[in-house]
Coordinates of all heavy atoms in Angstrom, one line a residue:
M1 N 59.2 111.0 -7.7 CA 58.9 111.9 -8.9 C 57.7 111.4 -9.5 O 57.4 110.2 -9.6 CB 60.1 111.8 -9.9 CG 59.9 112.7 -11.0 SD 61.3 112.7 -12.2 CE 62.6 113.5 -11.4
R2 N 56.9 112.3 -9.9 CA 55.6 111.9 -10.5 C 55.8 111.4 -11.9 O 56.8 111.6 -12.6 CB 54.7 113.1 -10.5 CG 54.4 113.5 -9.1 CD 53.4 114.6 -9.0 NE 53.2 115.0 -7.6 CZ 52.3 115.8 -7.2 NH1 51.5 116.4 -8.1 NH2 52.2 116.1 -6.0
V3 N 54.8 110.7 -12.4 CA 54.8 110.0 -13.7 C 54.9 111.0 -14.8 O 55.7 110.9 -15.8 CB 53.6 109.1 -13.9 CG1 53.6 108.5 -15.2 CG2 53.6 108.0 -12.8
W4 N 54.1 112.1 -14.7 CA 54.1 113.1 -15.8 C 55.5 113.8 -15.9 O 55.9 114.2 -17.0 CB 53.0 114.1 -15.7 CG 53.0 114.9 -14.4 CD1 52.4 114.6 -13.2 CD2 53.7 116.1 -14.2 NE1 52.7 115.6 -12.3 CE2 53.5 116.5 -12.9 CE3 54.4 116.9 -15.1 CZ2 54.0 117.7 -12.4 CZ3 54.9 118.1 -14.6 CH2 54.7 118.5 -13.2
A5 N 56.1 114.0 -14.8 CA 57.5 114.6 -14.8 C 58.5 113.7 -15.4 O 59.3 114.2 -16.2 CB 57.9 115.0 -13.4
K6 N 58.4 112.4 -15.2 CA 59.3 111.5 -15.9 C 59.1 111.5 -17.4 O 60.0 111.5 -18.1 CB 59.1 110.1 -15.3 CG 59.7 109.9 -13.9 CD 59.5 108.5 -13.5 CE 60.0 108.3 -12.0 NZ 59.8 106.9 -11.6
W7 N 57.8 111.5 -17.7 CA 57.5 111.4 -19.2 C 57.9 112.7 -19.9 O 58.4 112.7 -21.0 CB 56.0 111.1 -19.4 CG 55.7 109.7 -19.2 CD1 55.1 109.0 -18.2 CD2 56.1 108.6 -20.2 NE1 55.0 107.7 -18.4 CE2 55.6 107.4 -19.6 CE3 56.7 108.6 -21.4 CZ2 55.8 106.2 -20.2 CZ3 56.9 107.4 -22.0 CH2 56.5 106.2 -21.4
S8 N 57.7 113.8 -19.2 CA 58.1 115.1 -19.9 C 59.6 115.2 -19.9 O 60.2 115.7 -20.9 CB 57.5 116.3 -19.1 OG 58.0 116.3 -17.8
A9 N 60.3 114.7 -18.9 CA 61.8 114.7 -19.0 C 62.3 113.8 -20.1 O 63.2 114.1 -20.9 CB 62.4 114.2 -17.7
C10 N 61.7 112.6 -20.3 CA 62.0 111.7 -21.4 C 61.7 112.3 -22.7 O 62.5 112.2 -23.7 CB 61.3 110.4 -21.2 SG 61.9 109.4 -19.9
L11 N 60.6 113.0 -22.8 CA 60.2 113.7 -24.1 C 61.2 114.8 -24.4 O 61.7 114.9 -25.6 CB 58.8 114.3 -24.0 CG 58.3 115.1 -25.2 CD1 58.2 114.1 -26.3 CD2 57.0 115.8 -24.8
C12 N 61.6 115.6 -23.4 CA 62.6 116.7 -23.7 C 64.0 116.1 -24.1 O 64.6 116.6 -25.0 CB 62.7 117.5 -22.4 SG 61.3 118.5 -22.1
L13 N 64.4 115.0 -23.4 CA 65.7 114.4 -23.7 C 65.6 113.9 -25.1 O 66.6 114.0 -25.9 CB 66.0 113.4 -22.7 CG 66.5 113.9 -21.4 CD1 66.7 112.7 -20.4 CD2 67.8 114.6 -21.5
S14 N 64.5 113.2 -25.5 CA 64.5 112.6 -26.9 C 64.4 113.7 -27.9 O 65.0 113.6 -29.0 CB 63.3 111.7 -27.0 OG 62.1 112.4 -26.8
L15 N 63.7 114.9 -27.6 CA 63.7 116.0 -28.6 C 65.1 116.6 -28.7 O 65.5 116.9 -29.9 CB 62.7 117.0 -28.1 CG 61.3 116.7 -28.3 CD1 60.4 117.8 -27.7 CD2 60.9 116.6 -29.8
M16 N 65.8 116.7 -27.7 CA 67.2 117.2 -27.7 C 68.1 116.3 -28.6 O 68.9 116.7 -29.4 CB 67.8 117.4 -26.3 CG 67.3 118.6 -25.6 SD 67.9 118.8 -23.9 CE 69.6 118.3 -24.0
L17 N 67.9 115.0 -28.3 CA 68.7 114.0 -29.0 C 68.4 114.0 -30.5 O 69.3 114.0 -31.4 CB 68.5 112.6 -28.5 CG 69.2 111.5 -29.1 CD1 70.7 111.6 -28.8 CD2 68.7 110.1 -28.6
W18 N 67.1 114.1 -30.9 CA 66.8 114.1 -32.3 C 67.2 115.4 -33.0 O 67.6 115.4 -34.1 CB 65.3 113.9 -32.5 CG 64.9 112.5 -32.3 CD1 64.2 111.9 -31.2 CD2 65.2 111.4 -33.2 NE1 64.0 110.6 -31.4 CE2 64.7 110.2 -32.6 CE3 65.9 111.3 -34.4 CZ2 64.8 109.0 -33.2 CZ3 66.0 110.0 -35.0 CH2 65.5 108.9 -34.4
T19 N 67.1 116.5 -32.2 CA 67.6 117.8 -32.8 C 69.1 117.8 -33.1 O 69.5 118.2 -34.1 CB 67.2 118.9 -31.8 OG1 65.8 118.9 -31.6 CG2 67.6 120.3 -32.4
A20 N 69.8 117.3 -32.1 CA 71.3 117.2 -32.3 C 71.6 116.3 -33.4 O 72.5 116.6 -34.2 CB 71.9 116.7 -31.0
T21 N 70.9 115.2 -33.6 CA 71.2 114.3 -34.7 C 70.8 114.9 -36.0 O 71.6 114.8 -37.0 CB 70.4 113.0 -34.5 OG1 70.7 112.4 -33.2 CG2 70.7 112.0 -35.6
A22 N 69.7 115.6 -36.1 CA 69.3 116.2 -37.3 C 70.2 117.4 -37.7 O 70.6 117.5 -38.9 CB 67.9 116.8 -37.2
E23 N 70.7 118.1 -36.7 CA 71.6 119.2 -37.0 C 73.0 118.7 -37.5 O 73.6 119.3 -38.4 CB 71.8 120.1 -35.8 CG 70.6 121.0 -35.5 CD 70.9 121.9 -34.3 OE1 71.9 121.7 -33.6 OE2 70.0 122.7 -34.0
S24 N 73.5 117.6 -36.9 CA 74.8 117.2 -37.3 C 74.8 116.4 -38.6 O 75.9 116.2 -39.2 CB 75.4 116.4 -36.1 OG 74.6 115.2 -35.9
T25 N 73.7 115.8 -39.0 CA 73.7 114.9 -40.2 C 72.9 115.5 -41.4 O 72.8 114.8 -42.4 CB 73.1 113.6 -39.8 OG1 71.7 113.8 -39.4 CG2 73.9 112.8 -38.8
H26 N 72.4 116.7 -41.2 CA 71.7 117.3 -42.4 C 72.7 117.7 -43.5 O 73.8 118.0 -43.3 CB 70.8 118.4 -41.9 CG 71.5 119.7 -41.9 ND1 72.3 120.1 -40.9 CD2 71.5 120.8 -42.8 CE1 72.8 121.3 -41.2 NE2 72.3 121.7 -42.3
N27 N 72.2 117.6 -44.7 CA 72.9 118.1 -45.9 C 72.0 118.7 -46.9 O 70.8 118.6 -46.8 CB 73.7 116.9 -46.5 CG 72.8 115.8 -46.9 OD1 71.6 115.9 -46.9 ND2 73.4 114.8 -47.4
H28 N 72.6 119.5 -47.8 CA 71.8 120.2 -48.8 C 72.2 119.6 -50.1 O 73.4 119.6 -50.5 CB 72.1 121.7 -48.7 CG 71.8 122.2 -47.4 ND1 70.6 122.6 -47.0 CD2 72.7 122.5 -46.3 CE1 70.6 123.0 -45.7 NE2 71.9 123.0 -45.3
P29 N 71.3 119.2 -50.9 CA 71.6 118.7 -52.3 C 72.2 119.7 -53.2 O 73.0 119.4 -54.0 CB 70.3 118.1 -52.8 CG 69.2 118.7 -52.0 CD 69.8 119.1 -50.7
L30 N 71.7 121.0 -53.0 CA 72.3 122.1 -53.8 C 73.1 123.0 -53.0 O 72.9 123.1 -51.8 CB 71.1 122.9 -54.4 CG 70.1 122.1 -55.3 CD1 69.0 123.0 -55.7 CD2 70.9 121.6 -56.6
R31 N 74.2 123.5 -53.5 CA 75.0 124.4 -52.8 C 74.3 125.7 -52.3 O 74.7 126.3 -51.3 CB 76.2 124.8 -53.7 CG 77.2 123.7 -53.8 CD 78.3 124.0 -52.8 NE 79.4 123.1 -53.0 CZ 80.1 122.7 -51.9 NH1 79.9 123.1 -50.7 NH2 81.1 121.8 -52.1
T32 N 73.3 126.1 -53.1 CA 72.6 127.3 -52.7 C 71.8 127.2 -51.5 O 71.5 128.2 -50.8 CB 71.7 127.8 -53.9 OG1 70.8 126.7 -54.2 CG2 72.6 128.1 -55.1
G33 N 71.4 126.0 -51.1 CA 70.6 125.8 -49.9 C 71.4 126.0 -48.7 O 70.8 126.4 -47.6
S34 N 72.7 125.8 -48.7 CA 73.5 126.0 -47.5 C 73.7 127.5 -47.1 O 74.1 127.8 -46.0 CB 74.8 125.3 -47.6 OG 75.6 125.8 -48.6
V35 N 73.5 128.3 -48.1 CA 73.7 129.8 -47.9 C 72.6 130.3 -47.0 O 72.9 131.1 -46.1 CB 73.7 130.5 -49.2 CG1 73.8 132.0 -49.0 CG2 74.9 130.0 -50.1
S36 N 71.4 129.8 -47.2 CA 70.3 130.4 -46.3 C 70.1 129.5 -45.1 O 69.2 129.9 -44.3 CB 69.0 130.4 -47.2 OG 68.7 129.1 -47.6
C37 N 70.8 128.4 -44.9 CA 70.6 127.6 -43.7 C 71.3 128.2 -42.5 O 72.5 128.4 -42.6 CB 71.1 126.2 -44.0 SG 70.9 125.1 -42.6
S38 N 70.6 128.4 -41.5 CA 71.2 129.0 -40.3 C 72.2 128.1 -39.6 O 73.2 128.6 -39.0 CB 70.2 129.4 -39.3 OG 69.4 128.3 -38.8
I39 N 72.0 126.8 -39.7 CA 73.0 125.9 -39.1 C 74.3 125.9 -39.8 O 75.4 125.9 -39.2 CB 72.4 124.4 -39.0 CG1 71.1 124.4 -38.2 CG2 73.4 123.4 -38.5 CD1 70.3 123.2 -38.2
C40 N 74.2 125.9 -41.1 CA 75.4 125.9 -41.9 C 76.2 127.2 -41.8 O 77.4 127.2 -41.8 CB 75.1 125.6 -43.4 SG 74.5 123.9 -43.7
V41 N 75.4 128.3 -41.7 CA 76.1 129.6 -41.6 C 76.9 129.7 -40.3 O 78.0 130.2 -40.3 CB 75.0 130.7 -41.7 CG1 75.6 132.1 -41.3 CG2 74.4 130.8 -43.1
V42 N 76.3 129.2 -39.2 CA 77.0 129.2 -37.9 C 78.2 128.3 -37.9 O 79.2 128.6 -37.4 CB 76.0 128.9 -36.8 CG1 76.7 128.7 -35.5 CG2 74.9 129.9 -36.7
A43 N 78.0 127.1 -38.6 CA 79.1 126.1 -38.6 C 80.3 126.6 -39.4 O 81.4 126.2 -39.1 CB 78.5 124.8 -39.1
H44 N 80.0 127.4 -40.4 CA 81.1 127.8 -41.3 C 81.6 129.2 -41.1 O 82.3 129.8 -41.8 CB 80.8 127.6 -42.8 CG 80.5 126.2 -43.1 ND1 81.5 125.2 -43.2 CD2 79.4 125.5 -43.4 CE1 81.0 124.1 -43.5 NE2 79.7 124.2 -43.6
S45 N 81.1 129.8 -40.0 CA 81.5 131.2 -39.7 C 82.9 131.2 -39.1 O 83.4 130.1 -38.7 CB 80.5 131.8 -38.7 OG 80.6 131.2 -37.5
A46 N 83.5 132.3 -39.0 CA 84.8 132.4 -38.4 C 84.8 132.1 -37.0 O 83.8 132.2 -36.3 CB 85.4 133.9 -38.6
S47 N 86.0 131.6 -36.5 CA 86.0 131.2 -35.1 C 86.0 132.5 -34.2 O 86.5 133.5 -34.5 CB 87.3 130.5 -34.8 OG 88.4 131.3 -35.1
P48 N 85.3 132.4 -33.1 CA 85.2 133.5 -32.2 C 86.5 133.9 -31.6 O 87.3 133.0 -31.3 CB 84.1 133.1 -31.2 CG 84.2 131.6 -31.2 CD 84.6 131.2 -32.6
T49 N 86.7 135.1 -31.3 CA 87.9 135.6 -30.6 C 87.6 135.9 -29.2 O 86.5 136.1 -28.8 CB 88.4 136.9 -31.3 OG1 87.4 137.9 -31.2 CG2 88.8 136.6 -32.8
L50 N 88.7 135.9 -28.4 CA 88.5 136.2 -27.0 C 88.2 137.7 -26.8 O 88.8 138.6 -27.5 CB 89.8 135.8 -26.2 CG 90.1 134.4 -26.2 CD1 91.4 134.1 -25.5 CD2 89.0 133.6 -25.5
S51 N 87.3 138.0 -25.9 CA 87.0 139.4 -25.7 C 87.5 139.9 -24.3 O 87.2 141.0 -23.9 CB 85.5 139.6 -25.8 OG 84.9 138.8 -24.8
S52 N 88.3 139.1 -23.7 CA 88.8 139.5 -22.4 C 90.1 140.4 -22.5 O 90.9 140.2 -23.4 CB 89.2 138.3 -21.5 OG 89.7 138.7 -20.3
N53 N 90.2 141.4 -21.7 CA 91.3 142.3 -21.7 C 92.5 141.7 -20.9 O 93.6 142.0 -21.1 CB 90.9 143.7 -21.2 CG 90.0 144.3 -22.1 OD1 89.9 144.0 -23.3 ND2 89.2 145.2 -21.6
Q54 N 92.2 140.9 -19.9 CA 93.1 140.4 -19.0 C 93.4 138.9 -19.3 O 92.6 138.1 -18.9 CB 92.6 140.6 -17.6 CG 93.7 140.3 -16.5 CD 93.1 140.6 -15.1 OE1 92.0 140.8 -15.0 NE2 94.0 140.6 -14.2
S55 N 94.4 138.7 -20.0 CA 94.7 137.3 -20.4 C 95.6 136.6 -19.4 O 95.6 135.4 -19.3 CB 95.3 137.2 -21.8 OG 96.5 137.9 -21.8
A56 N 96.5 137.3 -18.7 CA 97.4 136.7 -17.8 C 96.8 136.6 -16.4 O 96.1 137.6 -15.9 CB 98.7 137.4 -17.7
P57 N 97.0 135.6 -15.6 CA 96.4 135.5 -14.3 C 97.2 136.4 -13.3 O 98.4 136.7 -13.5 CB 96.6 134.0 -13.9 CG 97.6 133.5 -14.7 CD 97.6 134.3 -16.0
V58 N 96.5 136.9 -12.3 CA 97.2 137.8 -11.3 C 97.2 137.0 -10.0 O 96.2 136.5 -9.5 CB 96.3 139.1 -11.1 CG1 96.9 139.9 -10.0 CG2 96.2 139.8 -12.4
F59 N 98.5 136.8 -9.5 CA 98.7 136.1 -8.3 C 98.9 137.1 -7.2 O 99.8 138.0 -7.3 CB 99.8 135.2 -8.4 CG 99.6 134.1 -9.4 CD1 100.2 134.1 -10.6 CD2 98.7 133.0 -9.1 CE1 100.0 133.1 -11.6 CE2 98.5 132.0 -10.0 CZ 99.1 132.1 -11.2
A60 N 98.2 137.1 -6.1 CA 98.4 138.0 -5.0 C 98.2 137.2 -3.7 O 97.4 136.3 -3.6 CB 97.3 139.1 -5.0
A61 N 99.0 137.5 -2.7 CA 98.9 136.9 -1.4 C 97.7 137.4 -0.7 O 97.5 138.6 -0.5 CB 100.2 137.1 -0.6
V62 N 96.9 136.4 -0.2 CA 95.7 136.8 0.5 C 96.0 136.8 2.0 O 95.7 137.7 2.7 CB 94.6 135.8 0.2 CG1 93.4 136.2 1.0 CG2 94.2 135.9 -1.3
S63 N 96.7 135.8 2.5 CA 97.1 135.7 3.9 C 98.3 134.7 4.0 O 98.6 134.0 3.0 CB 96.0 135.2 4.7 OG 95.6 133.9 4.4
L64 N 98.9 134.7 5.1 CA 100.1 133.8 5.4 C 99.6 132.7 6.3 O 98.8 132.9 7.2 CB 101.2 134.6 6.1 CG 101.8 135.7 5.2 CD1 102.9 136.4 6.0 CD2 102.5 135.1 4.0
L65 N 100.1 131.5 6.0 CA 99.8 130.3 6.8 C 100.8 130.2 7.9 O 102.0 130.1 7.7 CB 99.8 129.1 5.9 CG 99.6 127.8 6.7 CD1 98.2 127.8 7.3 CD2 99.8 126.6 5.8
R66 N 100.4 130.3 9.1 CA 101.3 130.1 10.3 C 101.2 128.7 10.8 O 100.1 128.2 11.2 CB 100.9 131.1 11.4 CG 101.1 132.5 11.0 CD 100.7 133.4 12.1 NE 100.8 134.8 11.6 CZ 100.4 135.8 12.3 NH1 99.7 135.7 13.4 NH2 100.5 137.1 11.8
D67 N 102.3 128.0 10.8 CA 102.4 126.6 11.1 C 102.6 126.5 12.6 O 103.7 127.0 13.1 CB 103.5 126.0 10.4 CG 103.4 124.4 10.5 OD1 102.4 124.0 10.8 OD2 104.4 123.8 10.1
E68 N 101.7 126.0 13.4 CA 101.8 125.8 14.8 C 101.7 124.4 15.2 O 100.9 123.6 14.5 CB 100.7 126.6 15.5 CG 100.9 128.1 15.3 CD 99.8 128.9 16.1 OE1 99.0 128.2 16.7 OE2 99.7 130.1 15.9
D69 N 102.4 123.9 16.1 CA 102.3 122.5 16.6 C 101.0 122.3 17.4 O 100.6 123.2 18.2 CB 103.5 122.1 17.5 CG 104.8 122.1 16.7 OD1 104.7 121.9 15.5 OD2 105.8 122.3 17.3
V70 N 100.4 121.2 17.1 CA 99.1 120.9 17.9 C 99.5 119.8 18.9 O 100.0 118.8 18.6 CB 98.1 120.4 16.9 CG1 96.8 120.0 17.7 CG2 97.7 121.5 15.9
V71 N 99.3 120.1 20.1 CA 99.5 119.2 21.2 C 98.2 118.9 21.9 O 97.5 119.7 22.4 CB 100.5 119.8 22.3 CG1 100.8 118.8 23.4 CG2 101.8 120.2 21.6
A72 N 97.9 117.6 21.9 CA 96.7 117.1 22.6 C 97.0 117.0 24.1 O 98.0 116.5 24.5 CB 96.3 115.8 22.0
K73 N 96.1 117.5 24.8 CA 96.2 117.5 26.3 C 95.4 116.3 26.8 O 94.2 116.3 27.0 CB 95.7 118.8 26.9 CG 96.5 120.0 26.4 CD 95.9 121.3 27.0 CE 96.8 122.4 26.5 NZ 96.2 123.7 27.0
A74 N 96.2 115.2 27.0 CA 95.6 114.0 27.6 C 95.5 114.1 29.1 O 96.3 114.6 29.7 CB 96.4 112.8 27.2
H75 N 94.4 113.6 29.6 CA 94.2 113.7 31.0 C 93.4 112.5 31.5 O 92.3 112.2 31.0 CB 93.3 115.0 31.3 CG 93.0 115.2 32.7 ND1 94.0 115.5 33.6 CD2 91.9 115.1 33.4 CE1 93.4 115.6 34.8 NE2 92.1 115.4 34.7
F76 N 94.0 111.7 32.4 CA 93.4 110.5 33.0 C 92.7 111.0 34.3 O 93.3 111.6 35.1 CB 94.4 109.4 33.2 CG 94.8 108.7 32.0 CD1 96.1 108.8 31.6 CD2 93.9 108.0 31.3 CE1 96.5 108.2 30.4 CE2 94.3 107.3 30.1 CZ 95.6 107.4 29.7
D77 N 91.5 110.6 34.4 CA 90.7 111.0 35.6 C 90.2 109.7 36.2 O 89.1 109.2 35.8 CB 89.6 112.0 35.2 CG 89.0 112.5 36.5 OD1 89.6 112.4 37.5 OD2 87.8 113.0 36.3
F78 N 90.9 109.1 37.1 CA 90.5 107.9 37.8 C 89.7 108.3 39.0 O 90.2 109.0 39.8 CB 91.6 107.0 38.1 CG 92.3 106.3 36.9 CD1 93.5 106.7 36.5 CD2 91.6 105.3 36.3 CE1 94.1 106.2 35.4 CE2 92.2 104.7 35.2 CZ 93.5 105.2 34.7
S79 N 88.6 107.7 39.2 CA 87.9 107.9 40.4 C 87.8 106.6 41.1 O 88.2 105.5 40.7 CB 86.5 108.4 40.1 OG 85.7 107.4 39.4
E80 N 87.3 106.6 42.3 CA 87.2 105.4 43.1 C 86.2 104.3 42.4 O 86.5 103.1 42.5 CB 86.7 105.7 44.5 CG 87.7 106.5 45.3 CD 88.9 105.6 45.6 OE1 88.7 104.4 45.8 OE2 90.0 106.2 45.6
L81 N 85.2 104.8 41.8 CA 84.3 103.8 41.2 C 84.8 103.2 39.9 O 84.5 102.1 39.5 CB 83.0 104.5 40.9 CG 82.2 105.0 42.1 CD1 81.0 105.8 41.7 CD2 81.8 103.8 43.0
G82 N 85.6 103.9 39.2 CA 86.1 103.5 37.9 C 87.4 102.6 38.0 O 87.7 101.9 37.0
S83 N 88.0 102.5 39.1 CA 89.3 101.8 39.2 C 89.3 100.8 40.3 O 90.3 100.5 40.9 CB 90.5 102.8 39.4 OG 90.3 103.4 40.6
R84 N 88.2 100.1 40.5 CA 88.1 99.1 41.5 C 88.7 97.8 41.0 O 88.7 97.5 39.8 CB 86.7 98.9 42.1 CG 85.7 98.4 41.1 CD 84.4 98.3 41.6 NE 83.4 97.9 40.6 CZ 82.2 97.8 40.8 NH1 81.7 98.1 42.0 NH2 81.4 97.4 39.8
G85 N 89.1 97.0 41.9 CA 89.8 95.7 41.5 C 88.8 94.6 41.1 O 87.5 94.9 41.2
P86 N 89.2 93.4 40.8 CA 88.3 92.3 40.4 C 87.5 91.9 41.6 O 88.0 92.0 42.8 CB 89.3 91.3 39.9 CG 90.6 91.6 40.5 CD 90.6 93.0 40.7
P87 N 86.4 91.3 41.4 CA 85.6 90.8 42.5 C 86.3 89.7 43.3 O 86.9 88.8 42.7 CB 84.3 90.4 41.9 CG 84.6 90.2 40.5 CD 85.7 91.1 40.1
V88 N 86.1 89.7 44.5 CA 86.8 88.6 45.4 C 85.7 87.6 45.7 O 84.6 87.8 46.1 CB 87.3 89.3 46.7 CG1 87.9 88.2 47.6 CG2 88.3 90.3 46.4
L89 N 86.1 86.3 45.5 CA 85.2 85.2 45.7 C 85.3 84.7 47.1 O 86.3 84.6 47.7 CB 85.3 84.1 44.7 CG 85.0 84.5 43.3 CD1 85.3 83.4 42.3 CD2 83.5 84.9 43.1
Ligands
ZN1 ZN1 72.4 123.4 -43.5

């Protein structure tokens, strides 16, 4: 990774960190300031409701699993070259 990419990534991460810190710790000395603050308006708004019409999951069979035994077919193939005896002295 190039140097400028690392520095820009660090800059973006630090900006995100500072923004999150500023948003979570800011306060208004006067009550009237929180009315026009967009962060406070979003934080104190009503909780969002679900907009989905289908709340229950639908279970349907896609296919059936057929259980079959797996038998390995072992096969020894000795040839004359592979099965010779020990050398005779
Ligand atoms: Zn605020």
Side-chain angles (χ1 to χ4, degrees):
M1 185 182 286
R2 297 184 181 187
V3 175
W4 62 270
K6 287 182 181 178
W7 280 105
S8 64
C10 288
L11 178 66
C12 291
L13 286 174
S14 65
L15 285 174
M16 285 176 38
L17 180 67
W18 283 110
T19 303
T21 303
E23 286 180 354
S24 62
T25 58
H26 85 282
N27 59 4
H28 303 279
L30 300 174
R31 285 264 187 211
T32 56
S34 63
V35 174
S36 62
C37 177
S38 62
I39 296 170
C40 292
V41 168
V42 171
H44 297 290
S45 65
S47 61
T49 59
L50 294 176
S51 61
S52 176
N53 294 334
Q54 187 175 12
S55 59
V58 176
F59 296 104
V62 176
S63 66
L64 294 176
L65 176 64
R66 294 183 183 165
D67 194 16
E68 295 179 2
D69 293 335
V70 177
V71 178
K73 296 178 181 176
H75 180 70
F76 286 114
D77 188 18
F78 290 107
S79 65
E80 290 293 326
L81 295 176
S83 64
R84 64 181 176 184
V88 178
L89 297 177

